[in-house]
Amino acid sequence: MAKLIGLNKIKTAVFISGTGSNLKNLINFSKTKKSPISIDLIISNTIKAKGLRYSNQYKIKKKILNFKNNKIAEKRLLNLLKQNKIQFICLAGFMKILSSKFIKQFNGKIINIHPSLLPRYKGLNTHSRAIQNKDKFTGCSVHYVTEKLDSGKIIIQKKIKILKKDTPRSLAKKVLKQEHKLYPKAILKIFN
Ligand code: GRF
């Protein structure tokens, strides 16, 4: 991966579907001197993603793609990434599953953040599942994206204690706060 780093920062696209707090955090990180990446493109599968507001705020190009037809959407997506010379992709709350064909085109260059200590709790509702199972700890993971959902090699994880009083909501808040520290750390780990 180190060979991606030239004089310029690594052109990165962030894919979102929702609030975009990780996107905002990554944008702020990308503006620091130590960041190996720049955020050049924001992709969303829905116009409703609140995180799209950061496109205007930070003057970053955005594109909304309709994934009703996955094949067409991914073809457009690949063209867009090519046109914008994107070299690296960060998924941040992106709710669509990318095809293996797409992933192969960016082999080893797509990462994701997930709100659990993978391999525990792949998929959705991670916090309520952890509470239901009376787990003592939860956390978040940054991992490479492969064809299998939430199963690629783990880059970095952060463990977080679950308190008796925790609800899925309080836990989500705590975990998200740690996600914002973990995602930049993962990127530094990959490229340094
Ligand atoms: C985060 O909890 C992330 O781990 C998960 O989706 C959530 C996205 O939050 N994949 P945000 O849109 O970045 O605020």
Side-chain angles (χ1 to χ4, degrees), residues 64-175:
I64 298 130
L65 290 169
N66 184 345
F67 270 74
K68 258 192 188 140
N69 183 324
N70 243 53
K71 259 194 176 167
I72 296 176
E74 285 192 351
K75 207 172 164 196
R76 288 205 181 121
L77 186 52
L78 274 176
N79 280 335
L80 261 171
L81 297 170
K82 223 175 171 179
Q83 279 162 19
N84 289 280
K85 300 192 168 57
I86 297 299
Q87 300 164 288
F88 192 63
I89 296 170
C90 294
L91 306 185
F94 185 61
M95 299 302 281
K96 290 286 165 191
I97 295 176
L98 297 163
S99 73
S100 53
K101 196 176 162 203
F102 179 90
I103 292 167
K104 267 187 201 134
Q105 307 262 351
F106 273 85
N107 199 10
K109 297 188 184 83
I110 312 176
I111 63 173
N112 180 41
I113 187 149
H114 185 77
S116 79
L117 287 175
L118 289 171
R120 266 175 104 68
Y121 309 127
K122 296 170 184 174
L124 298 175
N125 305 318
T126 54
H127 305 307
S128 48
R129 284 151 77 199
I131 289 174
Q132 248 163 36
N133 286 337
K134 300 194 171 22
D135 289 355
K136 294 215 158 50
F137 292 94
T138 184
C140 41
S141 313
V142 180
H143 65 94
Y144 286 103
V145 173
T146 60
E147 293 163 41
K148 268 181 133 189
L149 183 72
D150 299 329
S151 299
K153 190 178 162 215
I154 291 163
I155 299 155
I156 194 167
Q157 289 184 308
K158 171 75 184 176
K159 206 168 161 184
I160 296 154
K161 207 167 179 188
I162 301 180
L163 305 176
K164 280 231 166 72
K165 62 175 185 194
D166 268 324
T167 61
R169 209 189 156 111
S170 71
L171 210 50
K173 211 171 152 190
K174 264 199 277 189
V175 173

Side-chain angles (χ1 to χ4, degrees), residues 16 18-23 92-95 112-115 127 175-176 179-180:
I16 61 165
T19 317
S21 70
N22 276 291
L23 164 66
F94 185 61
M95 299 302 281
N112 180 41
I113 187 149
H114 185 77
H127 305 307
V175 173
L176 197 61
E179 287 183 34
H180 297 159

